[in-house]
Amino acid sequence: MTATAILSAAQVREVLDYNPQTGVFTRKVRLAQRHHAGDRADTVITSPKMLGYRRVSLFSQRFLAHRLAWYYTHGVWPAKHIDHINGDKGDNRIENLREADDQLNLENFRNHRIDNKVGLLGVHLHKQSNRWRARIQVYGKSVHIGLFDTPELAHEAYLIAKRKLHEGCTI
């Protein structure tokens, strides 16, 4: 049995306060020696894979704050991903969170890949033409947008296509 199956929403609400306007969790009671009532309960994750997300330690378990906010508010654990609509992983206001399947979650992706040398989402140098290529993934298929003289023009074309082709896009 997982920790999420054991922990009830009522238990969470007993020991934590969640402010839906700020997305911040604070402790109502002292459950551990290093935590005090009134302390902020959510901390920033610093590991590279989860950088920017926040988590809450509760009853010797760690919970992602955005998933815990959903549970606190709705009384059920999310069945899918929880997407940060504005792309800010640390913004856990309930109005900024939505349940999302894999596709919707990926469509709201805002950062370029780590191996992207240009630093712009959807843009890379097309070596054969020595121009900047814009392309986008739509339902797992790569769609060529065009070749451009500057990376900025390619990126602008990518953003236009993204807004049109990605239902989950909030850029």
Side-chain angles (χ1 to χ4, degrees), residues 134-167:
R135 75 175 162 192
I136 191 167
Q137 291 282 337
V138 180
Y139 295 106
K141 296 192 178 191
S142 183
V143 176
H144 174 75
I145 298 168
L147 297 171
F148 301 87
D149 293 329
T150 68
E152 293 78 17
L153 287 173
H155 182 63
E156 188 57 39
Y158 170 82
L159 290 177
I160 290 167
K162 184 169 184 61
R163 291 179 186 120
K164 182 178 170 185
L165 299 172
H166 285 174
E167 176 188 327

Side-chain angles (χ1 to χ4, degrees), residues 22-90:
T22 63
V24 172
F25 282 97
T26 52
R27 297 187 185 281
K28 288 183 177 179
V29 297
R30 185 176 186 177
L31 294 175
Q33 193 167 1
R34 67 183 194 156
H35 302 300
H36 296 79
D39 286 352
R40 186 168 180 161
D42 53 333
T43 58
V44 176
I45 300 173
T46 57
S47 66
K49 188 176 179 184
M50 299 295 288
L51 189 63
Y53 286 104
R54 299 187 77 86
R55 78 169 147 228
V56 177
S57 293
L58 191 60
F59 303 117
S60 300
Q61 297 290 324
R62 291 178 175 172
F63 300 92
L64 290 171
H66 56 283
R67 297 184 68 78
L68 195 61
W70 190 269
Y71 186 52
Y72 187 101
T73 303
H74 299 290
V76 294
W77 288 105
K80 302 176 182 178
H81 297 285
I82 294 296
D83 182 42
H84 292 84
I85 297 168
N86 69 4
D88 180 353
K89 299 173 188 177

